[in-house]
Amino acid sequence: MAGTEHDQVEETLKRIEANKYVIGTIVVNTEGIPIRTTLDNSTAVLYAKLLCHLTMKARHTVRDVDPQNDICFLRMRTKKHDILVAPENNFLLIVIQKHVNSFWTFP
């Protein structure tokens, strides 16, 4: 990655991590290994493994429906958190955040 491109990625990650709702971020390489995270290692490895698998399943599902299509973003709302996944060619960006809107808060 070129210096300027790397700086842009770092700047973007810092901006995301500065959001008061963000609990943690994970950047995962093509082998499913976390290469940068703000979470503890065991948590990052667990999220990386499971979300890489889920993202691949989602990608295959989208392509089975329409081979010309692809997944751009995956968002899950759990009882405790929002999990955001942005798949790119060479990495996966995972963001874990608190619920932003109390309207969607579960009992």
Side-chain angles (χ1 to χ4, degrees):
M1 191 179 318
T4 305
E5 189 175 333
H6 182 269
D7 293 342
Q8 289 174 340
V9 169
E10 285 297 323
E11 184 178 316
T12 300
L13 286 170
K14 285 179 184 175
R15 184 174 42 84
I16 291 169
E17 292 161 0
N19 184 302
K20 67 182 178 180
Y21 296 106
V22 171
I23 296 167
T25 60
I26 311 165
V27 178
V28 183
N29 69 12
T30 55
E31 289 83 38
I33 300 168
I35 55 174
R36 184 184 190 284
T37 184
T38 59
L39 301 172
D40 66 89
N41 189 55
S42 61
T43 302
V45 168
L46 180 62
Y47 272 110
K49 177 184 174 190
L50 296 173
L51 290 172
C52 281
H53 182 72
L54 181 62
T55 302
M56 289 307 298
K57 286 283 196 185
R59 174 171 276 148
H60 289 301
T61 300
V62 168
R63 288 184 177 168
D64 285 348
V65 172
D66 180 359
Q68 304 296 319
N69 206 352
D70 198 2
I71 188 168
C72 297
F73 194 78
L74 185 62
R75 180 178 187 152
M76 292 179 289
R77 181 171 288 267
T78 69
K79 288 183 178 181
K80 295 182 178 182
H81 306 112
D82 289 336
I83 302 170
L84 315 170
V85 183
E88 294 295 331
N89 291 333
N90 299 323
F91 65 91
L92 197 69
L93 172 62
I94 301 167
V95 178
I96 315 298
Q97 70 178 22
K98 298 174 190 172
H99 291 291
V100 175
N101 183 336
S102 62
F103 174 79
W104 291 103
T105 303
F106 293 94

